[in-house]
Amino acid sequence: MTTTHDIPVLPDPRVQPTMTVPEAGRLFGLQKAASYNAARRGEIPTISVGRRLLVPTAKLRALLGIDAAATTDAAA
């Protein structure tokens, strides 16, 4: 029996500029409560929009070094 797992994908910031804290936390393998705790500690970058706490996709990509690696690969 084969089991398929949903692999979280970090979206392109031009397509999805923000994501929820739990969505960002899933990229790190965190549960909802742990994601909000990491955001509160500043380990996951966030912005407040009204009462919502959102994670800017571009900042998360930069934190993980994804865009820097793509720029370096393109220059090579």
Side-chain angles (χ1 to χ4, degrees):
M1 175 199 245
T2 5
T3 307
T4 56
H5 297 281
D6 291 332
I7 299 170
V9 176
L10 190 54
D12 184 332
R14 294 169 294 189
V15 176
Q16 183 181 344
T18 62
M19 63 178 62
T20 66
V21 173
E23 286 173 332
R26 278 194 295 274
L27 294 168
F28 296 102
L30 301 175
Q31 298 293 323
K32 184 177 178 179
S35 300
Y36 279 106
N37 287 336
R40 186 177 26 76
R41 290 189 303 267
E43 297 169 350
I44 295 176
T46 60
I47 58 172
S48 294
V49 180
R51 294 183 63 179
R52 295 192 68 191
L53 190 62
L54 298 170
V55 178
T57 307
K59 284 188 178 184
L60 189 58
R61 291 177 72 92
L63 174 69
L64 296 172
I66 291 172
D67 291 333
T71 305
T72 304
D73 291 343

